[in-house]
Amino acid sequence: MTSYFDLKDFLLDQKYHLYIAADAQPFLNKRVKGTMTTQVAAGGVSVALEPVARAGNAVFISRGKTIEDKEILDKNGIITVNHKDPYTLRRIFLPQEDLDGYYNGFSNQTLWPLCHVAFETPIFSNIWYEKYKKVNSEFAHALETTPYNGAEKAAKVYFINDYQLSLVPSFLKKTPETIISLFWHIPWPTWEVFRILPQKKEILQSLLQCDFLAFHRDYHVRNFFSTLRRELAVRIDEEKKTVHFGNHATVVKSLPMGIDTDVIKSLSTPEDSGLLTHFIKSIFRVEKEKIPHEDFFNNTKVILGVDRLDYTKGLTMRLTALERFLEKYPRFLGNVSYVGFLALSRENIPSYQMLKKTVREKAREINKRFGTKQWKPVHLLPGVFSRQELISLYTHAAVCLVTPLDDGMNLVSKEFVIASSTTTNPGALVLSQFAGSATDLTSALIVNAYDTEETADAIAQGLSMDQNERKERIMRMAATLEEQSVYAWSKEFLRQALAAAKENRGVNV
Ligand code: GDG
């Protein structure tokens, strides 16, 4: 088992500086009632990379969002994050026009729908692509120019993250002292889908500038290889998982990401910190201070959802399945409620605005159909909540519903398993077979997220499952996740990146 401290020791020993680049920043700054606060981001990439940055005393390049994000930086656009284990955060700020093209446009209306099988049509625009290119070159420039805060080391590892930054490798200078690596956090589609992208060749060629490239799952690597074979004159050594293109070689592997198990466990405290009582009061609008919260959760079974508001997360299908469940299993009426944490996301994009409306309307419809004066079957909670709040609900939910239509990995399903493994009465996990995590979490109740009948039945099965069976299933899955934490993942990623650069370019670090 690799802990945060193992990762830290490992990184300390390395002869390179770690540079992380990701669009998503680890936290944002906001002034609340005159006081500067930090808010943890609700998104898989930022949540996962923050501990890696800390452990590696890294330079982290990301995109700033708020006025306060800018205000707290020094004149070079940098801040040393004052943690016990400090790291350097450099924020890039984009004018609206660049943001529209790079982020709202090419990243999230072209690449995101293209790579997820959620039947949202990608939109193609050269104007967006030009902005995407421009911003990617700015990220590359920031990687090359941001000074490292600490003792001089011989080399640099660039650890680039995700589809927003696919062109960054093409803008970086290749030297014997730099190692270029990229992790693609979302699915890689089949060639039949990817081939429609007008800029496909430039993106593929850029990715092949990396020494090491990784995806969550093997089926993503297979899709990537078949795309390469159809689009570029490559030679692929299947044995070594190495793609030869021109005079460069890139190792491409699957490396399923894990979660920060240590943090989740430390936040899964059984004591009521007042948080749950507060939740019970605010969500269910009942005065329950006098009733121990355990009693409350015995009488009201909570079906939990934690998602970014995104069409890939299957929220409309999920609510339809819930409706079917209430219809088919009336014995649960009045004593089961769905609580959906919804982190609003990409709010400037029309399809996300539409989804917000659809999800709200569906929830209203279900509440009207089944609700009573005393009981509401669906509670949607838009906003960003603290990790402590999410985790306290993970540990008290009877069922956690994770039903994406397509998802590279899905960290929520893993967080739920680890958090509930700390309780004596864990809930059941209903998980879509289309989440990358379904390959790891085989003791979940696995469903086809498009099959609302099957999902409705799985909800009923989860709620009726005997405590011993729930415990056994959760413990089996938790054991796997302990081995695959985010610390083990990042250590392995960096180890493989270095090995690839040594093997193929003779980089000697
Ligand atoms: C992408 C890929 C892949 C959610 N609401 C709040 C909040 N969250 C946190 C969760 C979890 C994270 O956000 C969401 O991670 P997911 O993996 O579920 O989803 P994406 O954001 O789509 O992530 C995905 C991931 O990258 C990593 O590679 O797994 O497939 O799409 O950690 O807990 N956190 C807080 N408040 C919230 O309200 N603090």
Side-chain angles (χ1 to χ4, degrees):
M1 218 182 300
T2 310
S3 70
Y4 171 78
F5 296 102
D6 297 328
L7 174 65
K8 194 174 156 185
D9 289 345
F10 167 81
L11 288 170
L12 209 71
D13 268 358
Q14 302 304 305
K15 298 192 182 70
Y16 54 78
H17 295 313
L18 177 60
Y19 277 70
I20 300 174
D23 177 81
Q25 53 175 351
F27 59 87
L28 64 74
N29 287 100
K30 216 172 189 168
R31 196 170 273 105
V32 180
K33 292 182 191 150
T35 312
M36 187 67 88
T37 63
T38 57
Q39 218 177 68
V40 181
V45 177
S46 38
V47 168
L49 295 176
E50 201 273 343
V52 184
R54 270 192 280 128
N57 180 23
V59 173
F60 196 140
I61 316 278
S62 63
R63 179 170 58 84
K65 292 184 177 170
T66 63
I67 299 170
E68 294 92 330
D69 277 351
K70 197 172 216 166
E71 219 177 278
I72 66 159
L73 303 179
D74 70 13
K75 61 180 188 322
N76 300 315
I78 287 172
I79 175 179
T80 302
V81 179
N82 272 326
H83 193 274
K84 265 206 322 283
D85 297 330
Y87 64 95
T88 304
L89 179 64
R90 171 155 180 196
R91 286 171 167 150
I92 290 180
F93 292 86
L94 303 179
Q96 193 58 42
E97 209 190 332
D98 291 3
L99 187 67
D100 285 343
Y102 150 77
Y103 184 76
N104 294 320
F106 194 76
S107 293
N108 289 318
Q109 291 187 79
T110 307
L111 285 180
W112 179 267
L114 181 79
C115 291
H116 289 89
V117 184
F119 304 102
E120 181 73 27
T121 311
I123 302 173
F124 302 114
S125 148
N126 273 331
I127 298 172
W128 289 350
Y129 184 64
E130 287 310 314
K131 294 294 182 194
Y132 179 87
K133 240 172 155 166
K134 176 172 176 244
V135 174
N136 271 240
S137 78
E138 285 173 32
F139 267 90
H141 179 74
L143 280 171
E144 289 181 333
T145 55
T146 308
Y148 192 82
N149 185 9
E152 207 42 51
K153 291 190 179 185
K156 272 180 170 183
V157 170
Y158 296 132
F159 179 5
I160 304 158
N161 286 270
D162 229 359
Y163 64 101
Q164 299 96 339
L165 304 183
S166 70
L167 293 177
V168 170
S170 66
F171 290 110
L172 292 168
K173 284 182 224 59
K174 318 287 170 306
T175 75
E177 293 78 37
T178 54
I179 294 156
I180 305 178
S181 58
L182 188 143
F183 192 87
W184 188 270
H185 291 258
I186 65 174
W188 189 278
T190 60
W191 169 69
E192 287 77 2
V193 171
F194 194 78
R195 66 180 168 172
I196 69 173
L197 178 68
Q199 300 85 1
K200 58 190 171 185
K201 286 204 166 45
E202 268 184 60
I203 289 185
L204 292 171
Q205 281 165 2
S206 173
L207 293 174
L208 292 183
Q209 301 289 307
C210 292
D211 292 297
F212 183 58
L213 171 65
F215 298 87
H216 284 299
R217 305 261 59 129
D218 229 34
Y219 50 87
H220 302 145
V221 175
R222 281 198 299 274
N223 287 346
F224 183 68
F225 280 175
S226 75
T227 305
L228 286 176
R229 283 200 182 95
R230 305 298 290 259
E231 296 294 341
L232 297 177
V234 293
R235 183 172 64 79
I236 300 180
D237 180 339
E238 289 275 358
E239 190 72 16
K240 293 187 168 170
K241 297 268 184 239
T242 302
V243 182
H244 297 269
F245 179 63
N247 56 7
H248 190 76
T250 306
V251 174
V252 184
K253 291 198 174 163
S254 67
L255 209 57
M257 186 195 252
I259 54 165
D260 49 350
T261 43
D262 296 358
V263 175
I264 306 274
K265 279 193 284 189
S266 73
L267 292 175
S268 308
T269 45
E271 300 84 44
D272 183 10
S273 54
L275 202 69
L276 278 169
T277 310
H278 170 75
F279 254 125
I280 294 167
K281 274 178 70 179
S282 64
I283 302 175
F284 299 99
R285 307 216 179 281
V286 284
E287 293 296 328
K288 288 284 173 191
E289 289 102 325
K290 304 232 157 45
I291 304 177
H293 63 259
E294 298 301 344
D295 285 357
F296 177 83
F297 285 101
N298 283 335
N299 296 329
T300 307
K301 303 267 180 244
V302 168
I303 303 172
L304 180 66
V306 176
D307 306 85
R308 275 188 312 100
L309 184 62
D310 193 299
Y311 52 80
T312 61
K313 303 293 179 187
L315 297 161
T316 319
M317 290 281 177
R318 187 185 304 169
L319 289 177
T320 308
L322 266 166
E323 186 175 26
R324 179 69 187 127
F325 154 76
L326 294 169
E327 187 180 73
K328 194 168 173 183
Y329 300 97
R331 68 175 188 277
F332 289 108
L333 294 177
N335 51 32
V336 171
S337 280
Y338 175 76
V339 175
F341 288 93
L342 280 181
L344 302 181
S345 165
R346 306 172 193 172
E347 291 182 78
N348 293 325
I349 298 178
S351 53
Y352 285 74
Q353 293 160 1
M354 190 88 90
L355 176 72
K356 188 171 164 190
K357 233 173 112 213
T358 314
V359 166
R360 268 200 188 144
E361 273 165 16
K362 189 75 201 160
R364 218 174 283 139
E365 203 181 297
I366 299 175
N367 284 337
K368 201 164 154 214
R369 182 167 167 205
F370 296 99
T372 62
K373 261 201 178 126
Q374 294 76 34
W375 172 71
K376 225 167 98 175
V378 178
H379 299 263
L380 295 183
L381 308 178
V384 174
F385 298 83
S386 70
R387 293 202 97 198
Q388 179 71 71
E389 287 172 313
L390 296 187
I391 288 163
S392 72
L393 263 261
Y394 283 146
T395 55
H396 286 83
V399 166
C400 184
L401 263 185
V402 183
T403 55
L405 306 181
D406 200 6
D407 216 335
M409 175 52 73
N410 192 287
L411 302 183
V412 168
S413 51
K414 296 190 167 185
E415 290 167 358
F416 171 73
V417 168
I418 289 294
S420 30
S421 72
T422 63
T423 79
T424 50
N425 188 22
L429 175 63
V430 174
L431 179 61
S432 160
Q433 66 186 93
F434 311 121
S437 60
T439 309
D440 304 312
L441 304 176
T442 49
S443 297
L445 299 172
I446 305 283
V447 296
N448 172 349
Y450 286 92
D451 186 342
T452 48
E453 193 72 21
E454 188 183 33
T455 309
D457 291 342
I459 297 171
Q461 189 188 344
L463 289 169
S464 317
M465 197 184 279
D466 144 73
Q467 181 171 350
N468 284 340
E469 185 179 347
R470 271 183 278 129
K471 184 92 191 158
E472 266 170 36
R473 285 176 183 255
I474 287 288
M475 295 320 280
R476 256 200 309 273
M477 295 191 281
T480 315
L481 297 186
E482 294 275 5
E483 296 301 323
Q484 305 176 346
S485 65
V486 73
Y487 322 115
W489 171 83
S490 44
K491 190 173 159 188
E492 187 54 19
F493 180 91
L494 293 166
R495 205 187 60 71
Q496 296 258 8
L498 194 60
K502 276 188 180 164
E503 164 95 16
N504 295 313
R505 284 200 291 129
V507 169
N508 187 17
V509 180

